[in-house]
Structure formats: structure tokens, C-alpha cells
Amino acid sequence: MPPAAPRPPLEGDLDVDVAIVGAGFTGLWTAYYLARADPGLRIAVCEAEVAGFGASGRNGGWCSALFPASASSLAALSDRSGALAQLEAMRESVSEVGRVLAEESIEADFARGGTISLARSPAQLVRARAEVEEARRWGQGEDEVGLLDAAEARGILAASSVHGATYTPDCAVVHPLRLVRGLAGAIVRLGVGLHEHTRVLSIGPGRLVTAGGVVRADTVVRATEGYTPDLPGEHRRLAPIYSLVIATDPLAPGLWERIGLRRRETFTDFRHLLIYGQRTADDRIVFGGRGAPYHFGSRIRPEFDRDRRVFRGLRKSLVELLPALADTAVTHAWGGCLGVPRDWCASVGLDRGTGVAWAGGYVGDGVSTTNLAGRTLRDLILQRDTDLVRLPWVGHHSPRWEPEPLRWLGVNAGLRTMAAADVEERMTGRPSRLARLVSPLVG
Ligand SMILES: Cc1cc2nc3c(=O)[nH]c(=O)nc-3n(C[C@H](O)[C@H](O)[C@H](O)COP(=O)(O)OP(=O)(O)OC[C@H]3O[C@@H](n4cnc5c(N)ncnc54)[C@H](O)[C@@H]3O)c2cc1C
């Protein structure tokens, strides 16, 4: 998509009820639900670049019911019923995104085809079975996640070396940049002030300081995700970990006949170092994965979005998965940073003492979780006593990351070990024990 003309920056001081830092999905959903709930509320969003500049405009477009922390971790924060309520809220969020897109006439190629997670080795099949057994322990039936045999799996996605798969209907695909731009347009129509090219230099109780002026507000919301470490005092809050993506040329209808993904199912497999893919509305494959290094001191630079080694690795993985794509050109490649909390558990909250609110730490599951965050922040800010404000992630504080060089050593060792575990499994066919040692560091 061509760049959108930026909206004017903040010039001068401003008094509002709610001031939001960051115009990604978190900031925009929060503004959207607040403005819908109370049209009289004065809301300002300050964005350092343009709406959707961050992960929200660049992601793999899985709008899923996945939450980055496991059900048992959520239960440890509350209890079994709290964990179940959070899982249900995630499923509802997928539908809610679709509902708002329809209501606001936002054309973002939304299609709810579910997710197929392929098991492509005996070791991966062990993990697929374990995942379904774990889902059953949490009361999820066949209609929420099921185990497919090899033939059923290949009927959805005719990939190489398929031993089986899991399938869940609880995922939609979206075009992320269309979604984020559509939301930005919707909040402006609702009367929210969206100030682009307005970097916030500091966030404090009741005020945001920007180069163009001070914004005074009863409540301020930090919605800066992977960029959070650049804010004063927030250096060890979240680690920015890079995820990179490639997109192919549109595939010919005959090729799609052979590959499948007829309902635009999102796809992955059970390897350790995550890959993710989708069939776009214009018949390309968008395919991403982790594996780019974490940069010392949580540095974020535009050049880190592009890593030739990772792009080559992604293309190799895609062709290995779908050999029919051997001659298909890769036409686009990009990347961006995720916000990763030390315990891998996203959180949302409002400190009533200071009036400072936040949401983030979604790792790679933010497309739908940001929607839940926006509705939850609405209820917290408007002091509504709803089921949403009682979910286990509300008010959770993740521990801070270790200081450097421990953080750099730990995260990169974790990423490399996951890649090594995949190689080991390919060679031996047996589940790697290496991966289990480091999974708390790299998901
Ligand atoms: C390559 C990639 C693929 C992904 N794929 C998926 C996927 O398929 N499914 C999924 O669920 N999730 C995915 N994610 C994660 C998902 O995109 C994010 O979790 C989600 O977009 C986070 O939204 P956000 O609004 O919190 O953060 P962001 O979208 O990063 O927005 C933060 C905004 O804050 C602004 N900002 C930062 N600092 C300041 C400041 N000081 N002043 C003003 N503004 C500031 C930034 O410019 C940015 O626009 C992916 C992420 C990446 C990078």
C-alpha cells in the first residue's frame, strides 16, 4: 500500500481527559472503544511516526485466539475459572474484530478460516498430540481444537512431510495495514485527536511531554509495545525481539488447486523456532518467522527490519514446506519488533494512584489481544465493573528483564538453541530435549 499522508503533529499544549501514547492497535482500539462509550470524552493519541508504523502495520495478519501465556500460567495468576474466562475472551475477540470491521465498513480482507498447525516429523506429532490433550484438560472440545491425520491435514494444506496436524477454527486472517489505517480513520471520525509525527519524550502522572507541547490528562495510556524500552525508566520492561516476513507473487489458480488453503486458513508447523503463514486476499503467500537476533541494549533500528540471512532462511523454509513454490518469486520482505515480557505474559492495567495505564507484552499474538486490551482499558478508565476487568491478565506486572549483557546472552542463546533443536529433530526424528531447557526465554 502507498504511504498515507501524515496527519499534523501536536503544536502547543493540550488539555484532554485521556492521552494515549502510540497509534498501533492498542492505542487505536482503546481510543475507539472510549469514544464509542462516551462521545463527550476528550481523547488525544500521540504517535511518533504515523498510525500503524509499528508491529500493527507489519504483522503476519493472524487474528487468533492465542494468548502468549499458557492456560496454566493464567490459572497461577488467578484460578482455573479465571484462566478459562481469559481463553473465552480471546475467542470472542476474534469475532469482535470482525464485527467492528463490518460496522465501520473497514475493508481489511478479514476471513475466518481457522489455523492448521502441521506436524511434519514424528517429534512434531508428539507435540501436536500433547497440545490437543492439554486443550482437553482445559475443557476444549473437538469444535475448538482437533487432531487431524495426515490425509485430512493434506486436504487443507498439501505440504511436504505431513504426519498429521491440529486444526482450530478460532483464527481469522486480516490485512494488518488496512486494519490499522481503517481504525485510525474511524477514531478521527469519532472526534479523537490523532497527532502523528508527535514523539512523546516522557510519560508521567497527568502529563505527556512532547517536542510540540505538553498534553495534560486525567489518564495517560502507554501503548508503545516493542518501543517501550526507549522511554525513560522503561528500559527493562519489554525486550524488542524481531520477527521478519516475506511475501510471494500472487500464485496462479492452478497452483492454489494443488496447495489448498481454500478458506484462507492460517498455517504453521510444530517446529520450535516459530514460522507463520497466510494466503492473502490477492492470492500471495505471506510467510514469517523468528530467528533474527536480539540487539544489545534493546536497540531498535530501521536496518534491523531487514536481515538477508533471515529472509533467505524464510524462503528456504517456505519452499521446503511447499516445493511447488520453487519457481515463485518473493516480491516483498520486511520486519518489525515484538514486545516480549520476561514471563511471556501480556498485561493490561490502570494505576489509579497515578492515572497511568498500559497494555502490551503480546509477543506474537497482538492482533486480537490488542482488541481485548482496548475494551478492557475502556472499562478500567470509565470505572465500569465488568467481567473484562476481572480477567487474570488485568493488573499483572511481569518481572523486569535482566540487565545487559545477561539479557543479550540469554535471549540470543535461547533463539539459537531453538534453531539447533529443530536441526537436531530433523536429523534424529526424536523430540529434542535442548528446546525444553530454553523455552521460557524464547516462547
Ligand atoms: C513481523 C511481525 C509479525 C507479527 N505477526 C503477528 C500475527 O500474525 N498475529 C498476531 O496476533 N500478532 C502478530 N505480531 C504482533 C502484533 O503485530 C503486535 O503484538 C501488535 O501489533 C502490537 O500492537 P501495539 O499497538 O501494542 O504496538 P505497535 O503496533 O508496535 O504500536 C506502537 C506504536 O507506538 C509508537 N511509539 C513508540 N514510542 C513512542 C513515543 N515515545 N511517542 C509516541 N509514539 C510512540 C510507535 O511508533 C508505534 O506506532 C507480529 C509482529 C511483527 C513485528
Side-chain angles (χ1 to χ4, degrees), residues 21-27 46-64 198-201 223-228 231 243-245 276 334-338 359-360 362-368 370:
V21 188
F25 290 145
T26 300
C46 296
E47 163 57 50
E49 305 283 344
V50 291
F53 168 82
S56 300
R58 321 175 185 199
N59 58 71
W62 285 41
C63 179
S64 75
T198 302
R199 180 171 297 280
V200 172
L201 306 173
T224 47
E225 191 59 347
Y227 303 90
T228 304
L231 287 165
S243 196
L244 269 52
V245 188
Y276 48 89
W334 67 92
C337 63
L338 313 165
Y362 315 106
V363 194
D365 299 325
V367 174
S368 51
T370 49

Side-chain angles (χ1 to χ4, degrees), residues 92-149:
E92 284 167 8
S93 297
V94 180
S95 309
E96 173 65 7
V97 171
R99 188 194 67 76
V100 177
L101 292 187
E103 183 168 313
E104 298 293 337
S105 305
I106 297 172
E107 186 40 72
D109 303 340
F110 182 92
R112 191 168 183 157
T115 296
I116 182 158
S117 305
L118 299 168
R120 297 180 56 245
S121 67
Q124 291 193 16
L125 190 57
V126 170
R127 287 198 286 284
R129 288 197 176 116
E131 189 178 278
V132 174
E133 281 163 22
E134 177 70 359
R136 297 291 174 266
R137 278 194 285 276
W138 288 95
Q140 294 180 348
E142 195 66 32
D143 55 330
E144 289 170 59
V145 57
L147 194 64
L148 308 185
D149 65 24

Side-chain angles (χ1 to χ4, degrees), residues 119-127 129 161 163 270 272 420-433:
R120 297 180 56 245
S121 67
Q124 291 193 16
L125 190 57
V126 170
R127 287 198 286 284
R129 288 197 176 116
S161 310
H163 292 244
F270 276 90
H272 296 288
D422 286 324
V423 174
E424 182 197 340
E425 286 189 356
R426 267 203 301 277
M427 287 167 70
T428 66
R430 286 191 302 276
S432 164
R433 279 190 293 177

Side-chain angles (χ1 to χ4, degrees), residues 62-75 77-78 82-91 93-94 131 140 170 225 290 341 343-348 358-373 376 391-396 398 443:
W62 285 41
C63 179
S64 75
L66 296 169
F67 187 78
S70 66
S72 36
S73 308
L74 288 166
L77 295 179
S78 56
L84 290 172
Q86 179 94 38
L87 299 183
E88 185 53 30
M90 288 305 305
R91 276 192 292 278
S93 297
V94 180
E131 189 178 278
Q140 294 180 348
D170 292 323
E225 191 59 347
R290 306 242 173 97
D343 61 357
W344 229 258
C345 187
S347 63
V348 56
W358 80 92
Y362 315 106
V363 194
D365 299 325
V367 174
S368 51
T369 318
T370 49
N371 174 277
L372 182 60
T376 307
L391 292 175
W393 73 320
V394 179
H396 170 64
S398 299

Side-chain angles (χ1 to χ4, degrees), residues 171 194 234 267-268 273 336 341 432:
C171 186
L194 173 52
E234 303 290 352
F267 63 93
T268 182
L273 200 62
S432 164

Side-chain angles (χ1 to χ4, degrees), residues 227-250:
Y227 303 90
T228 304
D230 281 348
L231 287 165
E234 303 290 352
H235 198 56
R236 288 164 50 201
R237 173 92 59 193
L238 295 167
I241 293 186
Y242 277 78
S243 196
L244 269 52
V245 188
I246 57 174
T248 67
D249 247 343

